[in-house]
Amino acid sequence: MKLLEKVTLGKQTLKNAIAMAPMTRSRATADGIVQELTVLYYKQRASAGLIITEGINISEQAIGSPYTPGIYNQEQIEAWKKVTRSVHDDGDVIYAQLWHTGRVGHSIDKNGNLPVAPSAIGIQGQQHYTAQGMQDYETPQELSIEEIKKIVKDYGQAAKNAVAAGFDGVELHAAFGYLPNQFLSESANKRTDEYGGSVENRNRFVLEVMQELVNAAGSDKVGIKISPTIYYNNIENSDPEAQFKPLIEALNELPLAYLHLMNGMFPLDHLPHYPKDAMETFGKVSRHLVIANAGYTRETGEAELEKGIAKIISYGSPFVANPDLPKRFELNAALNQPDLATMYGGGEKGYTDYPFLEN
Ligand SMILES: Cc1cc2nc3c(=O)[nH]c(=O)nc-3n(C[C@H](O)[C@H](O)[C@H](O)COP(=O)(O)O)c2cc1C
């Protein structure tokens, strides 16, 4: 099976082509420090060829939800060292996903500060999970050029901190409607300066951040996750191909480890102009290794690898409930089903207590 074959990522060899997709589990302390339980959680899943961590806040401003971890102070870095050491002891490779939530947050969880965004446009028709329950979104504060430049630097510092914490590389979370995705979107970005108004200008922020990450972490150690056809969090483009193909072409010019590409996860009936096959449309443009994500099973993952566009498949929810997912794929064993009630927050229940296959 291709899923179980070794694959080269950057300068490293992965023991299989199965990645654990980044998943927020909201089990850090209120100060964004990961705990012993998180060390165990990742260690349990170290048979994945590659682990990509949950989104990690690059700064206090980046925080969108309670109990999400950070990597902007020494205590947070020290805590992550325990995770990377224990995963490396098992011969695994682990990347840190760097996260700035932009407008996908709430002042309740930001010390009273409003979320920031490319433009002062709040998310409509959805609510946000906060420490005080579900809340309507607020109108975010539009970022100034100086503030944008500061965020680019924050990403660079977070990447340096990730290297100091022992991570093998970093991934920019530019998918699912978070800050970088907001810059890429015509519905969230109405700027008229060099960060908005044209395809090239909307791509500028992401490309500046990626260059900063490469400067900080080095060649072949930086990846990026994008979701060109996901409209969740009020992200829309009149022509996703016109926006994302030039982005991927520009990313081709940087010395990256991979492009992590999501399929559309939601029905596209009301957006008939959106491409239906993200791998075919966008994956083929990438000269970097492609990690395919969203909705794959053992069989469809294998079939995707057979097609040859993607070299790695990342699995999210299957890894929540199956710490030994590669073994289960190998044996074609039944999978545990994830419990939705314990996805976010809480302790070991639904986190580190899913059963392994019995030997
Ligand atoms: C509980 C949960 C938390 C998630 N948190 C993140 C996150 O922090 N960063 C991210 O890029 N994607 C996140 N995702 C999305 C997953 O990485 C993945 O894209 C999605 O689950 C689709 O893959 P799947 O069909 O294999 O589950 C999350 C998904 C789940 C289920």
Side-chain angles (χ1 to χ4, degrees), residues 158-206:
K160 285 184 192 154
N161 295 349
V163 171
F167 285 104
D168 297 286
V170 296
E171 173 181 287
L172 175 66
H173 192 350
F176 225 70
Y178 295 102
L179 184 69
N181 201 180
Q182 290 157 32
F183 273 94
L184 297 173
S185 149
E186 284 163 284
S187 59
N189 179 356
K190 304 279 187 200
R191 298 182 74 93
T192 53
D193 58 15
E194 66 256 43
Y195 289 99
S198 67
V199 167
E200 193 186 357
N201 286 352
R202 280 189 296 274
N203 284 341
R204 189 179 310 282
F205 176 74
V206 168

Side-chain angles (χ1 to χ4, degrees), residues 3 17-19 291-292 296 300-302 304-305 310-315:
L3 277 167
I18 301 168
I291 303 179
Y296 289 103
T300 61
E302 183 67 16
E304 188 67 70
L305 292 182
K311 295 281 182 284
I312 295 175
I313 306 293
S314 78
Y315 292 87

Side-chain angles (χ1 to χ4, degrees), residues 21-24 54-55 97 173 225 262 265 293-295 314-318 343-344:
M23 280 183 291
T24 293
E54 62 210 275
Q97 192 188 52
H173 192 350
K225 189 180 190 210
M262 292 184 77
M265 290 176 71
N293 173 249
S314 78
Y315 292 87
S317 34
M343 283 286 201
Y344 302 99

